[in-house]
Amino acid sequence: ATPRNGLMPGNTGADSERSTIVVANALAAQQWEMHLSAPQIAGRATAWATPPLATYAAWLDGLWADHGGDRGEPLTAGQSAALWRRVLAESSESAELIGQAGAAEWAANAWQLLHRWRLDPAAQRAYPDQLDYRAFLSWCRSYRERLEAQGWIDRAELEGTLATRALGGKGHLVAADLLEPYPTRAALFAQLEARGCTVTATTAPFVAGTRRAARLADSTDELRAAFAWAARRLAEQPGARVAIVVADSARRHGEIERLVATA
């Protein structure tokens, strides 16, 4: 992918409509939607076209649905985790493991890392003193055998498999703030470009802000001060959008709702 700013806020022309903007996760999708809709929000528009945003995982799922052939849907994260736990539970090392759940999570992460860097676990070898690595490679063989026996594929394999497929169709893919390049993703993007898709990278523009610190009595006082500050900002600029970041927001949901109501 060629790093350049391929999409700017307010760009709603034909090129933008043919674009798919791929972002890291659901939170990034919300942030980019607000960023790209800033002109409409500032102009107090009542409706506008939703930017063509997709999380990277959802975009991969769509690509797999079109080009996966008869392999079926990939395993969900929960299904993959359950399969790893079963592999470890039935392994010769199971009795020596303090906790199988933690080891299974570690193995799944290592499996994904190997695939991202285009390293085939079947081609890896452990030295005699690398007991943990030898066990891991054994688990990988067992995991692979179970996938193949059932005709399954897990999410760690999607990028590498798709990079070998004939991905047809033109279009414009914008990779927005995907700041963790690795070989398998690069190979997938290269395959898309070879088939006529334009792939560009973009990042949100840098914004210089001012940081201030205030000493307050406790966390409730912090929230009260933050909401008062936000209310003043909105009174001055009714079209503004204000974000307040709260630690443990789920646990403090009731407290937040009460303070917002009074503010």
Side-chain angles (χ1 to χ4, degrees):
T2 303
R4 68 175 186 269
N5 287 334
L7 204 66
M8 295 301 293
N11 182 359
T12 56
D15 288 341
S16 176
E17 291 174 359
R18 290 196 299 269
S19 299
T20 299
I21 309 166
V22 179
V23 298
N25 49 47
L27 176 59
Q30 294 176 343
Q31 294 170 332
W32 270 94
E33 182 175 358
M34 294 295 291
H35 171 61
L36 295 172
S37 302
Q40 289 82 5
I41 294 172
R44 302 192 183 185
T46 57
W48 56 87
T50 302
L53 288 159
T55 65
Y56 188 70
W59 174 75
L60 270 181
D61 284 344
L63 205 59
W64 182 255
D66 292 337
H67 302 282
D70 59 354
R71 293 291 301 276
E73 295 183 3
L75 297 182
T76 66
Q79 290 170 333
S80 179
L83 185 57
W84 275 110
R85 289 194 296 270
R86 182 176 177 182
V87 165
L88 267 66
E90 297 178 1
S91 70
S92 59
E93 298 84 9
S94 62
E96 302 176 16
L97 296 174
I98 296 176
Q100 293 177 4
E105 183 179 359
W106 170 82
N109 290 336
W111 168 270
Q112 182 183 55
L113 191 61
L114 286 175
H115 280 80
R116 285 188 171 188
W117 287 89
R118 309 188 83 178
L119 298 172
D120 183 1
Q124 302 298 306
R125 296 294 181 268
Y127 288 108
D129 60 339
Q130 293 179 316
L131 301 181
D132 290 347
Y133 194 46
R134 184 185 299 116
F136 167 66
L137 294 179
S138 173
W139 300 339
C140 286
R141 286 193 296 273
S142 180
Y143 185 75
R144 160 64 52 211
E145 290 169 358
R146 292 165 192 263
L147 290 176
E148 292 180 349
Q150 299 296 331
W152 294 335
I153 186 169
D154 78 348
R155 302 198 62 82
E157 301 174 291
L158 288 189
E159 292 167 306
T161 305
L162 286 168
T164 66
R165 301 291 173 91
L167 307 178
K170 296 186 180 295
H172 183 197
L173 179 70
V174 180
D177 281 334
L178 296 183
L179 301 179
E180 299 178 6
Y182 48 84
T184 309
R185 179 185 287 169
L188 176 56
F189 285 175
Q191 175 72 329
L192 287 168
E193 290 186 302
R195 296 288 174 172
C197 178
T198 301
V199 181
T200 60
T202 190
T203 60
F206 176 78
V207 177
T210 301
R211 291 183 295 176
R212 295 185 176 91
R215 288 185 179 277
L216 298 165
D218 52 31
S219 59
T220 300
D221 203 22
E222 285 180 347
L223 278 181
R224 191 177 292 111
F227 292 141
W229 168 81
R232 290 195 302 271
R233 290 294 300 271
L234 292 173
E236 296 167 0
Q237 302 177 41
R241 293 295 183 272
V242 178
I244 299 175
V245 180
V246 182
D248 290 333
S249 58
R251 182 178 60 82
R252 302 177 66 187
H253 183 73
E255 178 188 9
I256 291 170
E257 282 195 332
R258 290 192 299 272
L259 290 172
V260 169
T262 59

